[in-house]
Amino acid sequence: MAVSKPKYTPPVPKERKFRIREKLVIKPWSPKKANRFIILSFLVWAFVLYGNTLWNKYSVDDELVTGPNNALVSQGLKAVPQVLKSPYYINAGNLGTQASDYRPVVKITFLLEHQLFGKDRPMASHGINILLYFAIGALIFLVLRRLLKEYNILFPYLITLLFMAHPVHTEVVASLKNRDELLAFLFGMWGLYCLLDYAEKKKIRYLIYTALLFVVGYLSKSSIVPFLAIYPLTLYFFTDVKPRNLAIIFGGLLVLMLAAHYLPRLYLIHVSRVNAYIENPLYFEKNFWIRTGTGLITLLYYLRLLFYPHPLIFYYGYDMVPVTGWGNIWVLLSFVIHAGLLITAILLFRKKSILSYAIFYYLIAIFMYSNMVVPAVGMMAERFVFNASLGFTIAIVWAVFRIFRTEPRSLTIELADRLKILAVIIVLLLPCAYLTYDRTRAWKTLYSLYRFDIDHMKRSVKGNLQYAGYLMNTIYQDPNFQQYGVANEFKVQTIITHYRRALRIYPNDYKSLNELGSVYLMCTKRPDSAVVFLQKAIRMAPEKQTAWVNLALAYRGLKKYDSALICYNRILQINPNEIKAKYAIGDVYFESGHGDQAVKLNLDMMDQFPDSEIPYINIGRYYFLVGDTTVALKYLEQSVQKRVQPNICRELSYLFRIRGDMEKAEYYNRLAGQSPGKPN
């Protein structure tokens, strides 16, 4: 019997376990998260550019608004009421009183600093300036992102990076005095951000925020004024706010600005600023063609600074910017350039082109410093171009995109085009960053700033005066000069060089003539040379007494006592209450051999000023010089009874020690603040 074969049954395959790998899905960042990382990059960028200023000290004019020797700021926050009723600073000197505008917001930031960190902490001050600069960069980016919603994010990012890196901003960030510029711009840009909220949400509270920020910015510095026009300009270009509302916004902010300007004047101490020819000759120039011609030259200089920011200097003034009319070729060139910019902006205005906006922004921001509206202090300054440089950088980045025919509105940019654009921007950023770093080194101290800049300021009268004055002050503080009248010869010759340079530029400057005369008088012991310059200074301004005082001293050095008496009497005609001149007349009497007249004059002064110790000191010294120590001691002791002066006490201690009266010698030694028995 046949056996049937079983059917073939294929083996059941073993079950295979496959490991399914999950694909990594990269979720795009949310706009807020992207913004956080971008803003963090601005913080890093700010410290890369200006971090080395943390080790800087105080520099030019910082002492006027902060620093350990600023009596008001050193009080901390308890001085806020006084700050609210006083100008930004008042600086009274021999040649007049200088006062600035009303800027309480800035001063309060310095009060807060001193309250938190102590009165001599420049590192904290510079750190705050860097943080303010970072905040400005972040705000610019956030505002541009809202204005340029349809643009690639690379466009506003590169604008912000380039703006922050521009070397022309070093004066604003590295100088503590110029924190007012940082705050004014910060509040102006913040106000613009709130204004965009109003344009989107149509809620009045955002207009109120803008108004408040604008007023606070104005109370930081009046350089916020261009935002009066920038606000409606921006709303026109990037929002659907109606023209009627734009006019209302402009008008409302204008009223608030006028109130912030004039209301404090009702209770502020009235101090008028002394305008000097060497600061800006246009203070005294009424000719329309000269003022507009010089204004166009100034605008051309600003453009040069933006395109080629080297060299940078801390002060310009006369004669760094030529005072000229329309016959100057550079005036005509500036007119052609700026007329071309204006025409371009107008032609593109209806299209709401970003280039038109950038040009209008620049022209609006720079115009108030052009010397055409009012003369600018110093004729021009790098800080004056701070706001306007934003319009400039917008235009530059736009031009880079156009060069490579890349549409900034495109949300996706080809990698090749992106790399080309980044390459050009990096080529711009690297030298800008280097120049910024190099320039911040100059701001390390006042002396370093002078040394970096003075060779580039050969046409600046005030720049040379400031440097020479600084060196002169170091001589006065030198112990060798204080004790022995010996001055560093090289330093003296440097001082004379810079005063003479200032006089070559402007021969009729009173201060240059007076200061040079005082150098010859005090440091070179050449009173004959001093007389030449001091007499010319007096011819320039016979009503100012400083040169009269120096001329009297020069005549005394030449033993021309009659001429010295004429000078002192002239001082008393100018200022009858000038007591020092009266005492000086007594000294002249004594030096000319009329000791009895010198004593009589001081005796009369005792009756006139019974609480003053000075006539007793004078008479005591007269008697000491003629060898009558007994009478000299009598009057010097009486002077101490009126008011204790350590130097007089030391003299008395010395004299009594010579006479063998050790008890009185040690008494006056202690009174002078010295330990008993210490030799004088």
Side-chain angles (χ1 to χ4, degrees):
M1 179 175 79
V3 179
S4 63
K5 293 181 179 180
K7 291 183 178 180
Y8 173 75
T9 305
V12 178
K14 294 181 179 179
E15 183 180 355
R16 292 186 179 181
K17 295 180 179 180
F18 292 96
R19 186 179 178 184
I20 301 174
R21 295 181 180 178
E22 292 182 3
K23 292 184 178 179
L24 182 62
V25 179
I26 301 176
K27 296 181 179 180
W29 285 354
S30 66
K32 287 186 178 180
K33 191 172 183 180
N35 283 347
R36 282 200 295 268
F37 278 91
I38 288 172
I39 288 171
L40 181 62
S41 73
F42 296 142
L43 178 62
V44 174
W45 190 226
F47 275 92
V48 167
L49 294 168
Y50 290 98
N52 61 323
T53 62
L54 291 171
W55 288 269
N56 286 6
K57 306 301 180 183
Y58 299 106
S59 192
V60 63
D61 288 342
D62 286 349
E63 76 283 356
L64 299 177
V65 295
T66 188
N69 298 321
N70 190 292
L72 182 62
V73 173
S74 297
Q75 299 176 41
L77 290 177
K78 66 181 181 181
V80 169
Q82 190 175 349
V83 165
L84 293 174
K85 58 183 180 181
S86 59
Y88 190 36
Y89 69 83
I90 298 179
N91 184 32
N94 291 331
L95 302 180
T97 298
Q98 300 293 313
S100 75
D101 297 329
Y102 183 59
R103 304 173 196 171
V105 173
V106 190
K107 207 63 171 287
I108 289 171
T109 68
F110 290 122
L111 296 181
L112 182 60
E113 266 182 43
H114 282 63
Q115 188 76 34
L116 295 175
F117 306 110
K119 67 178 185 177
D120 190 13
R121 296 290 187 274
M123 179 176 283
S125 298
H126 288 294
I128 289 170
N129 269 23
I130 296 171
L131 291 176
L132 288 172
Y133 196 57
F134 150 67
I136 285 171
L139 258 178
I140 287 174
F141 175 76
L142 293 175
V143 168
L144 289 176
R145 280 290 286 151
R146 297 184 68 179
L147 297 180
L148 309 172
K149 294 176 182 177
E150 300 175 359
Y151 283 65
N152 190 289
I153 194 172
L154 189 64
F155 189 63
Y157 184 67
L158 294 180
I159 290 171
T160 308
L161 286 181
L162 190 57
F163 173 87
M164 293 181 70
H166 204 295
V168 82
H169 299 165
T170 48
E171 181 185 19
V172 174
V173 186
S175 167
L176 298 179
K177 181 191 78 73
N178 289 309
R179 182 178 294 178
D180 46 14
E181 294 284 355
L182 288 172
L183 288 171
F185 185 82
L186 177 69
F187 287 117
M189 193 58 62
W190 194 355
L192 180 56
Y193 188 88
C194 292
L195 203 56
L196 295 176
D197 281 333
Y198 163 75
E200 290 179 6
K201 302 170 185 177
K202 302 296 188 285
K203 293 184 178 180
I204 297 298
R205 72 170 183 267
Y206 294 110
L207 276 181
I208 296 173
Y209 297 157
T210 297
L212 290 174
L213 289 166
F214 183 81
V215 170
V216 173
Y218 188 83
L219 294 177
S220 299
K221 195 178 182 183
S222 59
S223 56
I224 197 175
V225 168
F227 279 97
L228 278 174
I230 289 171
Y231 286 164
L233 176 79
T234 305
L235 292 178
Y236 168 79
F237 268 84
F238 301 103
T239 72
D240 58 356
V241 176
K242 296 179 180 178
R244 178 175 174 274
N245 291 341
L246 297 179
I248 293 173
I249 291 169
F250 174 83
L253 290 175
L254 179 61
V255 170
L256 285 173
M257 184 198 76
L258 294 174
H261 180 81
Y262 287 106
L263 287 180
R265 270 68 183 171
L266 299 177
Y267 57 83
L268 285 176
I269 300 170
H270 178 70
V271 179
S272 57
R273 190 183 189 281
V274 179
N275 296 321
Y277 187 91
I278 62 172
E279 290 185 322
N280 193 331
L282 296 182
Y283 287 128
F284 311 94
E285 180 60 64
K286 304 301 180 185
N287 186 294
F288 172 79
W289 300 108
I290 296 292
R291 292 189 67 148
T292 53
T294 306
L296 285 167
I297 285 279
T298 307
L299 289 174
L300 192 63
Y301 276 40
Y302 281 129
L303 274 180
R304 185 199 67 81
L305 277 178
L306 288 169
F307 279 105
Y308 185 70
H310 181 78
L312 299 174
I313 58 176
F314 73 91
Y315 192 84
Y316 290 80
Y318 181 78
D319 183 35
M320 292 293 287
V321 179
V323 178
T324 182
W326 283 69
N328 188 306
I329 185 64
W330 297 109
V331 172
L332 298 176
L333 177 62
S334 179
F335 175 77
V336 170
I337 291 172
H338 287 90
L341 289 173
L342 183 60
I343 291 170
T344 301
I346 292 171
L347 291 175
L348 298 174
F349 186 76
R350 284 283 184 92
K351 298 178 181 178
K352 296 188 177 182
S353 162
I354 187 68
L355 179 61
S356 176
Y357 175 75
I359 294 172
F360 272 122
Y361 189 109
Y362 172 78
L363 293 176
I364 289 169
I366 201 63
F367 185 67
M368 72 177 285
Y369 298 113
S370 68
N371 287 304
M372 294 188 193
V373 183
V374 292
V377 177
M379 298 196 77
M380 65 175 290
E382 289 148 24
R383 63 185 179 275
F384 294 161
V385 80
F386 184 63
N387 188 0
S389 64
L390 178 57
F392 173 81
T393 50
I394 293 172
I396 290 295
V397 175
W398 175 88
V400 172
F401 272 75
R402 295 298 296 170
I403 287 171
F404 296 109
R405 298 180 180 179
T406 302
E407 176 54 55
R409 293 175 185 268
S410 176
L411 296 179
T412 56
I413 299 176
E414 294 294 332
L415 180 61
D417 292 334
R418 189 185 295 259
L419 291 176
K420 291 175 185 176
I421 291 169
L422 288 174
V424 173
I425 296 297
I426 289 171
V427 166
L428 295 175
L429 285 176
L430 288 178
C432 282
Y434 172 77
L435 288 173
T436 296
Y437 172 82
D438 187 60
R439 182 61 183 160
T440 54
R441 293 190 304 117
W443 284 92
K444 187 173 183 61
T445 64
L446 181 56
Y447 179 69
S448 65
L449 187 64
Y450 285 139
R451 290 302 304 141
F452 266 82
D453 291 5
I454 197 63
D455 289 339
H456 304 297
M457 302 172 69
K458 293 180 179 178
R459 296 296 306 169
S460 174
V461 174
K462 190 171 180 179
N464 281 280
L465 285 180
Q466 284 185 276
Y467 182 48
Y470 170 83
L471 293 177
M472 195 67 196
N473 190 49
T474 62
I475 286 178
Y476 288 143
Q477 294 175 354
D478 187 342
N480 285 327
F481 183 79
Q482 292 175 349
Q483 294 181 25
Y484 310 111
V486 177
N488 181 289
E489 186 175 345
F490 175 77
K491 194 176 286 187
V492 170
Q493 290 305 315
T494 303
I495 292 168
I496 291 173
T497 297
H498 287 283
Y499 278 134
R500 284 187 172 274
R501 181 183 292 172
L503 284 172
R504 281 197 298 273
I505 304 167
Y506 184 48
N508 296 329
D509 180 51
Y510 174 87
K511 185 174 182 180
S512 302
L513 293 164
N514 176 61
E515 296 292 338
L516 183 56
S518 68
V519 173
Y520 280 118
L521 176 65
M522 305 297 292
C523 300
T524 67
K525 309 303 180 186
R526 289 167 54 187
D528 51 339
S529 298
V531 167
V532 174
F533 293 101
L534 293 169
Q535 285 179 336
K536 189 171 183 181
I538 287 169
R539 288 197 294 271
M540 294 299 103
E543 75 285 355
K544 294 182 178 180
Q545 70 182 56
T546 312
W548 285 105
V549 172
N550 288 329
L551 185 59
L553 291 172
Y555 281 135
R556 287 167 66 178
L558 293 169
K559 302 188 184 306
K560 295 183 178 181
Y561 299 114
D562 290 341
S563 297
L565 287 174
I566 291 171
C567 292
Y568 286 126
N569 284 310
R570 183 71 180 92
I571 292 169
L572 290 171
Q573 290 176 6
I574 297 170
N575 183 6
N577 297 319
E578 185 56 75
I579 301 172
K580 291 181 180 179
K582 295 180 181 180
Y583 287 127
I585 289 174
D587 291 341
V588 173
Y589 285 149
F590 182 80
E591 291 168 12
S592 61
H594 298 86
D596 54 341
Q597 287 182 269
V599 171
K600 183 179 182 304
L601 183 144
N602 280 274
L603 289 171
D604 292 340
M605 297 297 285
M606 287 180 189
D607 295 333
Q608 191 173 354
F609 302 100
D611 296 327
S612 176
E613 78 283 1
I614 296 176
Y616 295 93
I617 295 173
N618 289 342
I619 294 176
R621 285 178 172 166
Y622 296 156
Y623 277 105
F624 176 77
L625 289 171
V626 297
D628 194 339
T629 310
T630 302
V631 178
L633 286 171
K634 169 190 167 185
Y635 280 100
L636 290 176
E637 284 193 283
Q638 287 179 323
S639 78
V640 173
Q641 293 171 10
K642 296 290 182 181
R643 189 168 74 92
V644 175
Q645 292 195 73
N647 61 322
I648 301 300
C649 290
R650 283 190 286 270
E651 287 183 27
L652 283 167
S653 178
Y654 174 74
L655 292 173
F656 278 116
R657 191 180 302 279
I658 291 175
R659 293 169 68 92
D661 190 340
M662 301 305 296
E663 183 179 352
K664 281 199 171 183
E666 292 187 4
Y667 167 75
Y668 284 111
N669 214 8
R670 289 193 299 270
L671 206 59
Q674 299 180 3
S675 59
K678 184 177 179 180
N680 292 290

